[in-house]
Structure formats: C-alpha cells, structure tokens
Amino acid sequence: MRIAAVRGDITEQEVDAVVNAANSSLLGGGGVDGAIHRRGGPEILEACRELRSTRYPDGLGVGQAVATTAGKLPARWVIHTVGPTFTPSEDRSELLAACFRESLKVADTLGASTVAFPAVSTGVYRYPLAEAAEIAVRSARDTPTNVENVRFVLFDTESYEAFTAAVQHSE
C-alpha cells in the first residue's frame, strides 16, 4: 500500500472514497464534516438520514465507520467515521486507530482502491496533532486491506507537516 500526505482540500480529491470526520449524528457539522456535506450536496445528508432511521437510530459510535454516496464530490463514496474527543485523563488512542481500521474495512467492502483521509479528531475534538498523525499512519499501514493508495489530505501547514513526518517515520 502506498501512503502519502498531501496539502489540499479533501472535498476536491478524485479518489474512490473520501473519509469524513463525522459526528455521531451523521447529520453534518463543522470542519471537514460540514465541508463534505456542503460540497457533496443534499444526497449525502439524505443517505445519512436513512442510516439514522434504520441501522443507526442512536447515531454512529466512536471508532465505527459507514459509507454513503458521495453526492457531487469527485469521489464515489463517503466513509463516515466518528473520532474520539481527546482527554489527557484517558488513553483513547485505540478508538482513534479504530477509525482508520474500520474505514479501510468499509473501503474493502466497497471495492475502493484509493482512499483520502482527513486528520480525524484533531480539530474540535482536540487530539494532539503529532500523536494523531502517528496513530493514523500506523493504523493504515498495519490494517490488512485491498486499498492500494491511502492519502492523508491536510488543509493547513501544521497538519501537513505532522502527517508528512509520520509517513516518513513509518517507512
């Protein structure tokens, strides 16, 4: 598997699947979640509402992942995953790692060979960037998958540098 860090906008990635750093409601929010819903259009929200009314009436759990259409995005699918909120009093690294593992498992069920990930949990969920990058890259590398290309798409310089260092460290 090829793993890379790129600076850019995840909503512009021409990949099979884009991973959304969603909240448990699956109904949109801020940051990456809001950008994906805005750019992808109402089809994504409609698919998420269907999931809430059927498979996930209480919302998607932390570390879980589920796919929907990508709507107007240049990707085929959106894989929604809910990252943990960072707290210094509890180790939630396994929950963060699960976001990447479970997203790759969903990608496999879809037949996706290229997947773009954001920096899950590093925004309003406050996960320390360097630690999150190491967990993300290690989880992607260690997960048995048919995905051929994992791309971490980072919007700002600090995130891009942290993920670039994590990718280099994992090689």
Side-chain angles (χ1 to χ4, degrees):
M1 170 196 314
R2 182 175 185 280
I3 298 178
V6 298
R7 178 112 191 252
D9 181 343
I10 199 162
T11 68
E12 296 175 356
Q13 300 302 303
E14 293 183 18
V15 293
D16 294 324
V18 167
V19 176
N20 180 21
N23 61 52
S24 64
S25 78
L26 294 175
L27 302 178
V32 169
D33 194 16
I36 285 174
H37 276 271
R38 281 190 302 278
R39 175 97 189 264
E43 298 89 350
I44 297 173
L45 182 57
E46 183 179 314
C48 287
R49 284 186 174 140
E50 175 67 20
L51 286 169
R52 285 298 307 273
S53 70
T54 57
R55 291 175 49 195
Y56 300 101
D58 297 323
L60 188 66
V62 174
Q64 294 182 321
V66 66
T68 65
T69 179
K72 295 177 179 74
L73 294 173
R76 293 178 64 191
W77 301 284
V78 173
I79 299 172
H80 307 267
T81 191
V82 180
T85 300
F86 179 77
T87 177
S89 62
E90 181 183 346
D91 180 5
R92 295 187 176 170
S93 59
E94 182 53 35
L95 288 170
L96 183 56
C99 293
F100 300 96
R101 278 195 314 271
E102 295 303 313
S103 293
L104 289 169
K105 287 178 186 176
V106 170
D108 280 343
T109 67
L110 298 169
S113 63
T114 55
V115 177
F117 282 97
V120 175
S121 285
T122 63
V124 296
Y125 289 3
R126 302 179 315 278
Y127 221 98
L129 195 49
E131 184 179 349
E134 291 289 336
I135 292 167
V137 172
R138 183 176 56 251
S139 298
R141 184 145 336 269
D142 292 349
T143 299
T145 181
N146 293 319
V147 172
E148 298 169 6
N149 187 322
V150 168
R151 184 181 312 164
F152 290 98
V153 182
L154 299 313
F155 195 72
D156 61 75
T157 301
E158 184 181 9
S159 298
Y160 171 72
E161 289 173 354
F163 275 79
T164 297
V167 168
Q168 290 171 348
H169 181 255
S170 76
E171 292 175 343

mmCIF file of all heavy atoms in Angstrom, residues 39-73:
data_model
loop_
_atom_site.group_PDB
_atom_site.id
_atom_site.type_symbol
_atom_site.label_atom_id
_atom_site.label_comp_id
_atom_site.label_asym_id
_atom_site.label_seq_id
_atom_site.Cartn_x
_atom_site.Cartn_y
_atom_site.Cartn_z
ATOM 1 N N ARG A 39 -20.223 20.567 0.010
ATOM 2 C CA ARG A 39 -19.753 20.318 -1.359
ATOM 3 C C ARG A 39 -20.450 19.113 -1.982
ATOM 4 O O ARG A 39 -20.721 19.096 -3.173
ATOM 5 C CB ARG A 39 -18.239 20.111 -1.347
ATOM 6 C CG ARG A 39 -17.644 19.736 -2.678
ATOM 7 C CD ARG A 39 -17.074 20.937 -3.425
ATOM 8 N NE ARG A 39 -16.711 20.593 -4.780
ATOM 9 C CZ ARG A 39 -15.500 20.257 -5.192
ATOM 10 N NH1 ARG A 39 -14.497 20.240 -4.330
ATOM 11 N NH2 ARG A 39 -15.269 19.969 -6.446
ATOM 12 N N GLY A 40 -20.744 18.099 -1.198
ATOM 13 C CA GLY A 40 -21.377 16.899 -1.725
ATOM 14 C C GLY A 40 -22.859 17.055 -2.022
ATOM 15 O O GLY A 40 -23.418 16.302 -2.812
ATOM 16 N N GLY A 41 -23.487 18.018 -1.361
ATOM 17 C CA GLY A 41 -24.895 18.284 -1.622
ATOM 18 C C GLY A 41 -25.848 17.448 -0.786
ATOM 19 O O GLY A 41 -25.440 16.636 0.055
ATOM 20 N N PRO A 42 -27.139 17.622 -1.043
ATOM 21 C CA PRO A 42 -28.176 17.012 -0.204
ATOM 22 C C PRO A 42 -28.235 15.484 -0.283
ATOM 23 O O PRO A 42 -28.810 14.849 0.612
ATOM 24 C CB PRO A 42 -29.474 17.634 -0.723
ATOM 25 C CG PRO A 42 -29.167 18.098 -2.104
ATOM 26 C CD PRO A 42 -27.708 18.467 -2.099
ATOM 27 N N GLU A 43 -27.646 14.884 -1.294
ATOM 28 C CA GLU A 43 -27.677 13.422 -1.401
ATOM 29 C C GLU A 43 -26.980 12.756 -0.216
ATOM 30 O O GLU A 43 -27.417 11.705 0.258
ATOM 31 C CB GLU A 43 -27.019 12.948 -2.706
ATOM 32 C CG GLU A 43 -27.706 13.425 -3.962
ATOM 33 C CD GLU A 43 -27.198 14.779 -4.464
ATOM 34 O OE1 GLU A 43 -26.437 15.464 -3.751
ATOM 35 O OE2 GLU A 43 -27.573 15.152 -5.587
ATOM 36 N N ILE A 44 -25.906 13.370 0.257
ATOM 37 C CA ILE A 44 -25.183 12.801 1.400
ATOM 38 C C ILE A 44 -26.042 12.879 2.656
ATOM 39 O O ILE A 44 -26.175 11.890 3.390
ATOM 40 C CB ILE A 44 -23.818 13.494 1.613
ATOM 41 C CG1 ILE A 44 -22.914 13.270 0.390
ATOM 42 C CG2 ILE A 44 -23.144 12.981 2.889
ATOM 43 C CD1 ILE A 44 -21.621 14.057 0.428
ATOM 44 N N LEU A 45 -26.623 14.022 2.900
ATOM 45 C CA LEU A 45 -27.482 14.180 4.075
ATOM 46 C C LEU A 45 -28.674 13.230 4.003
ATOM 47 O O LEU A 45 -29.046 12.605 5.008
ATOM 48 C CB LEU A 45 -27.964 15.625 4.221
ATOM 49 C CG LEU A 45 -28.835 15.929 5.441
ATOM 50 C CD1 LEU A 45 -28.116 15.562 6.732
ATOM 51 C CD2 LEU A 45 -29.247 17.393 5.442
ATOM 52 N N GLU A 46 -29.253 13.068 2.838
ATOM 53 C CA GLU A 46 -30.383 12.146 2.669
ATOM 54 C C GLU A 46 -29.959 10.709 3.009
ATOM 55 O O GLU A 46 -30.676 9.996 3.708
ATOM 56 C CB GLU A 46 -30.900 12.224 1.235
ATOM 57 C CG GLU A 46 -32.112 11.363 0.973
ATOM 58 C CD GLU A 46 -32.594 11.498 -0.466
ATOM 59 O OE1 GLU A 46 -32.692 12.640 -0.956
ATOM 60 O OE2 GLU A 46 -32.850 10.451 -1.081
ATOM 61 N N ALA A 47 -28.786 10.308 2.532
ATOM 62 C CA ALA A 47 -28.284 8.957 2.827
ATOM 63 C C ALA A 47 -28.006 8.798 4.323
ATOM 64 O O ALA A 47 -28.267 7.737 4.901
ATOM 65 C CB ALA A 47 -27.028 8.670 2.014
ATOM 66 N N CYS A 48 -27.471 9.835 4.952
ATOM 67 C CA CYS A 48 -27.207 9.782 6.392
ATOM 68 C C CYS A 48 -28.505 9.706 7.191
ATOM 69 O O CYS A 48 -28.590 8.972 8.181
ATOM 70 C CB CYS A 48 -26.385 10.996 6.823
ATOM 71 S SG CYS A 48 -24.658 10.931 6.301
ATOM 72 N N ARG A 49 -29.512 10.438 6.758
ATOM 73 C CA ARG A 49 -30.812 10.360 7.440
ATOM 74 C C ARG A 49 -31.398 8.950 7.338
ATOM 75 O O ARG A 49 -31.993 8.450 8.287
ATOM 76 C CB ARG A 49 -31.781 11.387 6.851
ATOM 77 C CG ARG A 49 -31.497 12.790 7.312
ATOM 78 C CD ARG A 49 -32.554 13.760 6.831
ATOM 79 N NE ARG A 49 -32.327 15.056 7.418
ATOM 80 C CZ ARG A 49 -32.460 16.198 6.772
ATOM 81 N NH1 ARG A 49 -32.844 16.203 5.506
ATOM 82 N NH2 ARG A 49 -32.225 17.329 7.377
ATOM 83 N N GLU A 50 -31.218 8.321 6.185
ATOM 84 C CA GLU A 50 -31.684 6.947 6.006
ATOM 85 C C GLU A 50 -30.961 6.009 6.975
ATOM 86 O O GLU A 50 -31.581 5.145 7.590
ATOM 87 C CB GLU A 50 -31.465 6.505 4.556
ATOM 88 C CG GLU A 50 -31.807 5.058 4.291
ATOM 89 C CD GLU A 50 -33.292 4.731 4.408
ATOM 90 O OE1 GLU A 50 -34.126 5.651 4.321
ATOM 91 O OE2 GLU A 50 -33.609 3.552 4.610
ATOM 92 N N LEU A 51 -29.640 6.181 7.112
ATOM 93 C CA LEU A 51 -28.876 5.361 8.063
ATOM 94 C C LEU A 51 -29.371 5.564 9.487
ATOM 95 O O LEU A 51 -29.463 4.611 10.266
ATOM 96 C CB LEU A 51 -27.385 5.687 7.977
ATOM 97 C CG LEU A 51 -26.654 5.161 6.754
ATOM 98 C CD1 LEU A 51 -25.265 5.790 6.655
ATOM 99 C CD2 LEU A 51 -26.568 3.643 6.795
ATOM 100 N N ARG A 52 -29.678 6.805 9.838
ATOM 101 C CA ARG A 52 -30.163 7.099 11.196
ATOM 102 C C ARG A 52 -31.533 6.485 11.437
ATOM 103 O O ARG A 52 -31.846 6.070 12.547
ATOM 104 C CB ARG A 52 -30.225 8.618 11.444
ATOM 105 C CG ARG A 52 -28.888 9.284 11.676
ATOM 106 C CD ARG A 52 -28.165 8.763 12.906
ATOM 107 N NE ARG A 52 -28.951 8.793 14.120
ATOM 108 C CZ ARG A 52 -29.035 9.837 14.935
ATOM 109 N NH1 ARG A 52 -28.358 10.929 14.696
ATOM 110 N NH2 ARG A 52 -29.786 9.773 16.014
ATOM 111 N N SER A 53 -32.351 6.410 10.415
ATOM 112 C CA SER A 53 -33.697 5.861 10.609
ATOM 113 C C SER A 53 -33.718 4.335 10.548
ATOM 114 O O SER A 53 -34.721 3.725 10.891
ATOM 115 C CB SER A 53 -34.668 6.447 9.572
ATOM 116 O OG SER A 53 -34.371 5.957 8.286
ATOM 117 N N THR A 54 -32.594 3.733 10.134
ATOM 118 C CA THR A 54 -32.561 2.273 10.009
ATOM 119 C C THR A 54 -31.471 1.664 10.884
ATOM 120 O O THR A 54 -31.726 1.244 12.002
ATOM 121 C CB THR A 54 -32.366 1.853 8.536
ATOM 122 O OG1 THR A 54 -31.174 2.448 8.017
ATOM 123 C CG2 THR A 54 -33.558 2.259 7.683
ATOM 124 N N ARG A 55 -30.241 1.655 10.420
ATOM 125 C CA ARG A 55 -29.144 0.947 11.091
ATOM 126 C C ARG A 55 -28.601 1.631 12.335
ATOM 127 O O ARG A 55 -28.073 0.972 13.225
ATOM 128 C CB ARG A 55 -27.986 0.745 10.106
ATOM 129 C CG ARG A 55 -28.317 -0.228 9.011
ATOM 130 C CD ARG A 55 -27.240 -0.365 7.962
ATOM 131 N NE ARG A 55 -25.911 -0.579 8.496
ATOM 132 C CZ ARG A 55 -24.808 -0.431 7.772
ATOM 133 N NH1 ARG A 55 -24.865 -0.078 6.509
ATOM 134 N NH2 ARG A 55 -23.630 -0.650 8.320
ATOM 135 N N TYR A 56 -28.650 2.964 12.367
ATOM 136 C CA TYR A 56 -28.017 3.713 13.468
ATOM 137 C C TYR A 56 -28.988 4.715 14.097
ATOM 138 O O TYR A 56 -28.738 5.926 14.077
ATOM 139 C CB TYR A 56 -26.764 4.434 12.965
ATOM 140 C CG TYR A 56 -25.734 3.487 12.408
ATOM 141 C CD1 TYR A 56 -25.602 3.319 11.027
ATOM 142 C CD2 TYR A 56 -24.913 2.744 13.251
ATOM 143 C CE1 TYR A 56 -24.658 2.430 10.509
ATOM 144 C CE2 TYR A 56 -23.982 1.862 12.738
ATOM 145 C CZ TYR A 56 -23.856 1.711 11.363
ATOM 146 O OH TYR A 56 -22.939 0.835 10.860
ATOM 147 N N PRO A 57 -30.078 4.245 14.693
ATOM 148 C CA PRO A 57 -31.048 5.186 15.275
ATOM 149 C C PRO A 57 -30.464 6.031 16.409
ATOM 150 O O PRO A 57 -30.937 7.137 16.650
ATOM 151 C CB PRO A 57 -32.181 4.285 15.773
ATOM 152 C CG PRO A 57 -31.557 2.935 15.929
ATOM 153 C CD PRO A 57 -30.468 2.857 14.889
ATOM 154 N N ASP A 58 -29.438 5.512 17.088
ATOM 155 C CA ASP A 58 -28.807 6.262 18.176
ATOM 156 C C ASP A 58 -27.533 6.969 17.729
ATOM 157 O O ASP A 58 -26.792 7.497 18.558
ATOM 158 C CB ASP A 58 -28.487 5.321 19.349
ATOM 159 C CG ASP A 58 -29.748 4.716 19.941
ATOM 160 O OD1 ASP A 58 -30.773 5.419 20.006
ATOM 161 O OD2 ASP A 58 -29.711 3.528 20.313
ATOM 162 N N GLY A 59 -27.249 6.943 16.441
ATOM 163 C CA GLY A 59 -26.046 7.567 15.910
ATOM 164 C C GLY A 59 -24.922 6.558 15.737
ATOM 165 O O GLY A 59 -24.993 5.428 16.219
ATOM 166 N N LEU A 60 -23.892 6.971 15.032
ATOM 167 C CA LEU A 60 -22.720 6.132 14.773
ATOM 168 C C LEU A 60 -21.768 6.236 15.965
ATOM 169 O O LEU A 60 -21.467 7.331 16.428
ATOM 170 C CB LEU A 60 -22.029 6.592 13.491
ATOM 171 C CG LEU A 60 -20.898 5.720 12.966
ATOM 172 C CD1 LEU A 60 -21.431 4.358 12.527
ATOM 173 C CD2 LEU A 60 -20.213 6.410 11.785
ATOM 174 N N GLY A 61 -21.298 5.108 16.446
ATOM 175 C CA GLY A 61 -20.417 5.094 17.605
ATOM 176 C C GLY A 61 -18.990 5.514 17.276
ATOM 177 O O GLY A 61 -18.544 5.420 16.124
ATOM 178 N N VAL A 62 -18.278 5.961 18.280
ATOM 179 C CA VAL A 62 -16.880 6.343 18.138
ATOM 180 C C VAL A 62 -16.080 5.130 17.660
ATOM 181 O O VAL A 62 -16.228 4.027 18.190
ATOM 182 C CB VAL A 62 -16.308 6.881 19.472
ATOM 183 C CG1 VAL A 62 -14.809 7.135 19.360
ATOM 184 C CG2 VAL A 62 -17.040 8.152 19.878
ATOM 185 N N GLY A 63 -15.266 5.339 16.625
ATOM 186 C CA GLY A 63 -14.439 4.272 16.075
ATOM 187 C C GLY A 63 -15.122 3.434 15.015
ATOM 188 O O GLY A 63 -14.488 2.603 14.379
ATOM 189 N N GLN A 64 -16.415 3.630 14.802
ATOM 190 C CA GLN A 64 -17.137 2.905 13.764
ATOM 191 C C GLN A 64 -17.055 3.666 12.448
ATOM 192 O O GLN A 64 -16.690 4.839 12.418
ATOM 193 C CB GLN A 64 -18.600 2.713 14.159
ATOM 194 C CG GLN A 64 -18.807 1.819 15.352
ATOM 195 C CD GLN A 64 -20.282 1.636 15.669
ATOM 196 O OE1 GLN A 64 -21.075 2.564 15.575
ATOM 197 N NE2 GLN A 64 -20.642 0.423 16.045
ATOM 198 N N ALA A 65 -17.432 2.992 11.351
ATOM 199 C CA ALA A 65 -17.429 3.627 10.039
ATOM 200 C C ALA A 65 -18.564 3.066 9.204
ATOM 201 O O ALA A 65 -18.928 1.894 9.336
ATOM 202 C CB ALA A 65 -16.092 3.399 9.343
ATOM 203 N N VAL A 66 -19.119 3.904 8.344
ATOM 204 C CA VAL A 66 -20.204 3.512 7.449
ATOM 205 C C VAL A 66 -20.117 4.370 6.187
ATOM 206 O O VAL A 66 -19.670 5.514 6.241
ATOM 207 C CB VAL A 66 -21.579 3.669 8.150
ATOM 208 C CG1 VAL A 66 -21.887 5.133 8.453
ATOM 209 C CG2 VAL A 66 -22.690 3.022 7.348
ATOM 210 N N ALA A 67 -20.550 3.811 5.066
ATOM 211 C CA ALA A 67 -20.433 4.518 3.780
ATOM 212 C C ALA A 67 -21.780 5.028 3.287
ATOM 213 O O ALA A 67 -22.830 4.442 3.555
ATOM 214 C CB ALA A 67 -19.833 3.593 2.737
ATOM 215 N N THR A 68 -21.691 6.131 2.535
ATOM 216 C CA THR A 68 -22.841 6.665 1.801
ATOM 217 C C THR A 68 -22.350 7.078 0.420
ATOM 218 O O THR A 68 -21.151 7.038 0.129
ATOM 219 C CB THR A 68 -23.450 7.918 2.469
ATOM 220 O OG1 THR A 68 -22.486 8.992 2.436
ATOM 221 C CG2 THR A 68 -23.906 7.643 3.894
ATOM 222 N N THR A 69 -23.280 7.515 -0.379
ATOM 223 C CA THR A 69 -22.934 8.145 -1.646
ATOM 224 C C THR A 69 -22.036 9.345 -1.376
ATOM 225 O O THR A 69 -22.035 9.890 -0.268
ATOM 226 C CB THR A 69 -24.209 8.607 -2.384
ATOM 227 O OG1 THR A 69 -23.822 9.243 -3.605
ATOM 228 C CG2 THR A 69 -25.011 9.618 -1.561
ATOM 229 N N ALA A 70 -21.319 9.785 -2.397
ATOM 230 C CA ALA A 70 -20.505 11.000 -2.279
ATOM 231 C C ALA A 70 -21.212 12.204 -2.897
ATOM 232 O O ALA A 70 -20.646 13.296 -2.953
ATOM 233 C CB ALA A 70 -19.145 10.792 -2.930
ATOM 234 N N GLY A 71 -22.428 12.011 -3.382
ATOM 235 C CA GLY A 71 -23.161 13.134 -3.957
ATOM 236 C C GLY A 71 -22.387 13.788 -5.086
ATOM 237 O O GLY A 71 -21.949 13.118 -6.017
ATOM 238 N N LYS A 72 -22.166 15.077 -4.967
ATOM 239 C CA LYS A 72 -21.490 15.855 -6.011
ATOM 240 C C LYS A 72 -19.965 15.897 -5.860
ATOM 241 O O LYS A 72 -19.287 16.578 -6.624
ATOM 242 C CB LYS A 72 -22.047 17.273 -6.031
ATOM 243 C CG LYS A 72 -23.508 17.340 -6.427
ATOM 244 C CD LYS A 72 -24.017 18.779 -6.349
ATOM 245 C CE LYS A 72 -25.468 18.880 -6.751
ATOM 246 N NZ LYS A 72 -26.378 18.371 -5.737
ATOM 247 N N LEU A 73 -19.423 15.193 -4.867
ATOM 248 C CA LEU A 73 -17.967 15.138 -4.706
ATOM 249 C C LEU A 73 -17.357 14.353 -5.863
ATOM 250 O O LEU A 73 -18.031 13.501 -6.452
ATOM 251 C CB LEU A 73 -17.597 14.456 -3.384
ATOM 252 C CG LEU A 73 -17.978 15.167 -2.093
ATOM 253 C CD1 LEU A 73 -17.687 14.265 -0.893
ATOM 254 C CD2 LEU A 73 -17.246 16.476 -1.959
#
